[in-house]
Amino acid sequence: MAHLEKWQYMWENNRIGFHKSYTNKILEEHVDILTKGRKGIKIFLPLCGKSLDLIWLAAQGHEVIGLEFSDIACQAFFKENNIDYSTSTVDGLQDATLYVSTDNRIKIYQCDFFQFSRDVAGQFDAVWDRAAFVAVNPSDRKKYSDVLSSIMKEDGMCLMTTLQYDDTLMTGPPHNVPAEIVQEFYGDRYNVQIIKEIDILEEENWSARGHKRFTETIFSLSPKT
C-alpha cells in the first residue's frame, strides 16, 4: 500500500490515535517562540489532520493555513467544530480542494504535500510542525524539508516536535527522529535549537509495548543570518 493510500485508509477506519481532542500544550506554552511575539501573522500547519491547533491559532488573531491529504479529515474538522465553510478547486494543483471557513480565518488545502509550493499560497511567517516530519517516510525527508523551507519567508520561524525511541521495537510512523536527523535536513539553512525534551513513556502505553525510552523533543528552527 502506498504511503498516501495508507494514510487515507487510517482515516477511513478511524485509526487516528495521533489526533488529540484538545489544543497542543506545547504550542500553548511556546507560541511566542513560533510567532516571535508578532500579531496577525500567516501560520502554516503541515499534515494537520483535524487538529484543534488550527482553531486556537486563529483565535489568537493569526491567518491559519493547514494542509492535509485526507478529505475525511478536512470535512471532519469543519463539521465537528461547527464551522461553516466553502470549498473550491486549486489552480495549479491536481485533485486538490481548498476548504475555507466563512470568516476566512482558517484554510485547509486538501492535497499531496509534495505538490504544494509557494505558488499556491505564498510564503509563511511561521510553521507549526506537530508530528508532521515524523510521519514522513525516511526516504522523503529531503523532499519534505525542501518544500517546507521553500514556503517559509526569509525571516520565518518553525516550531517542530519529533519523537525519539528504540526503532528496533517499532518502525513507525511515527518515526524515530533524533536531533541529528533534524540537524541533517535543516541545519544548513536554520539554527536548530532544542527547546524542551519531554518523557512521554507512559503516554499511549509505550512502556507496555516494550519501550524503555520514549521522548518528545521540541525544536525551534530560526533562519541563519
Side-chain angles (χ1 to χ4, degrees):
M1 183 180 294
H3 180 62
L4 291 178
E5 291 175 351
K6 182 179 179 180
W7 185 248
Q8 181 72 351
Y9 173 85
M10 291 171 68
W11 279 99
E12 288 173 348
N13 291 274
N14 203 36
R15 295 173 58 182
I16 53 172
F18 49 83
H19 173 72
K20 305 301 180 186
S21 59
Y22 50 83
T23 304
N24 189 279
K25 303 305 179 186
I26 293 168
L27 174 61
E28 292 181 340
E29 183 178 351
H30 300 290
V31 67
D32 285 343
I33 295 176
L34 177 67
T35 64
K36 296 193 285 190
R38 296 170 294 175
K39 305 297 183 182
I41 66 171
K42 188 177 178 183
I43 302 178
F44 181 61
L45 284 72
L47 315 189
C48 63
K50 55 178 183 177
S51 172
L52 298 182
D53 297 350
L54 294 156
I55 296 174
W56 189 82
L57 285 167
Q60 311 306 307
H62 302 295
E63 180 184 356
V64 184
I65 296 94
L67 184 147
E68 170 56 45
F69 177 73
S70 173
D71 57 337
I72 296 172
C74 295
Q75 293 168 23
F77 169 78
F78 289 99
K79 292 177 181 177
E80 290 176 10
N81 295 294
N82 297 312
I83 299 173
D84 293 331
Y85 68 99
S86 61
T87 62
S88 62
T89 58
V90 183
D91 290 341
L93 283 183
Q94 186 176 5
D95 300 323
T97 302
L98 174 61
Y99 292 74
V100 183
S101 62
T102 53
D103 62 7
N104 209 41
R105 295 168 68 185
I106 300 174
K107 300 176 183 177
I108 300 178
Y109 286 88
Q110 186 262 310
C111 63
D112 180 350
F113 176 85
F114 296 117
Q115 302 300 319
F116 198 66
S117 72
R118 69 178 70 181
D119 295 333
V120 177
Q123 290 182 295
F124 298 89
D125 299 296
V127 174
W128 167 229
D129 183 325
R130 184 262 162 183
F133 191 47
V134 299
V136 174
N137 286 335
S139 60
D140 289 327
R141 285 172 179 163
K142 177 65 165 61
K143 187 161 57 168
Y144 177 92
S145 64
D146 285 345
V147 172
L148 202 68
S149 299
S150 71
I151 62 177
M152 287 176 63
K153 293 181 179 179
E154 289 186 2
D155 61 347
M157 174 68 74
C158 177
L159 200 63
M160 174 182 291
T161 70
T162 71
L163 301 173
Q164 295 78 50
Y165 58 85
D166 182 353
D167 51 19
T168 65
L169 299 174
M170 185 175 85
T171 58
H175 297 286
N176 173 43
V177 180
E180 308 87 75
I181 295 294
V182 179
Q183 184 67 39
E184 176 185 350
F185 288 97
Y186 294 96
D188 61 333
R189 291 169 281 199
Y190 300 98
N191 298 305
V192 178
Q193 180 181 355
I194 294 177
I195 302 299
K196 192 174 185 178
E197 294 178 310
I198 305 170
D199 180 0
I200 60 170
L201 182 63
E202 299 307 321
E203 292 187 20
E204 300 181 28
N205 271 339
W206 293 120
S207 60
R209 303 182 202 183
H211 290 278
K212 304 292 186 185
R213 176 183 64 88
F214 218 100
T215 304
E216 184 172 26
T217 302
I218 302 96
F219 296 89
S220 68
L221 309 180
S222 57
K224 288 184 173 180
T225 56

